[in-house]
Amino acid sequence: KSMSVTKIIEGNPIFEAFGNAKTCGNNNSSRFGKVMKLQFDIREDSMNPDMPHTRMVGCINSTYLLEKSRVIRHSAGERGFHIFYQLL
């Protein structure tokens, strides 16, 4: 795996903690959707014009359908988002 792919994969649990919560049916239920838009810089390689030089220069993370009510209350037997317990 490339270094960029490794960094993206290693950072994923942090994003998951902000959107996953314990529910009555599942200890790690996803309560949101996530989109990661990777940004690349593509430059022509003078030594090999058929193979451009590409590097990742950024990433924009977007969440949608976040269950906002879970931040302030949740049903009996359930918990808020994991991040609140990991910060303690």
Side-chain angles (χ1 to χ4, degrees):
K1 294 178 193 172
S2 72
M3 184 67 113
S4 297
V5 171
T6 301
K7 287 181 180 180
I8 292 168
I9 292 171
E10 288 175 351
N12 197 51
I14 296 167
F15 297 116
E16 295 288 328
F18 279 95
N20 289 4
K22 179 182 177 187
T23 63
C24 291
N26 187 340
N27 283 339
N28 196 31
S29 182
S30 182
R31 312 314 296 164
F32 75 123
K34 174 178 59 174
V35 174
M36 295 176 77
K37 295 179 183 178
L38 304 178
Q39 300 170 329
F40 294 92
D41 180 28
I42 301 172
R43 297 193 179 174
E44 190 174 301
D45 186 347
S46 60
M47 300 296 283
N48 189 357
D50 295 332
M51 187 81 155
H53 175 72
T54 306
R55 67 184 180 116
M56 191 172 72
V57 294
C59 178
I60 298 171
N61 296 296
S62 302
T63 58
Y64 58 95
L65 299 175
L66 186 62
E67 202 176 353
K68 294 177 183 170
S69 62
R70 188 168 292 279
V71 173
I72 55 173
R73 67 182 184 288
H74 42 273
S75 301
E78 296 188 347
R79 293 189 343 171
F81 294 111
H82 294 327
I83 192 66
F84 297 134
Y85 301 92
Q86 292 172 351
L87 290 173
L88 293 177

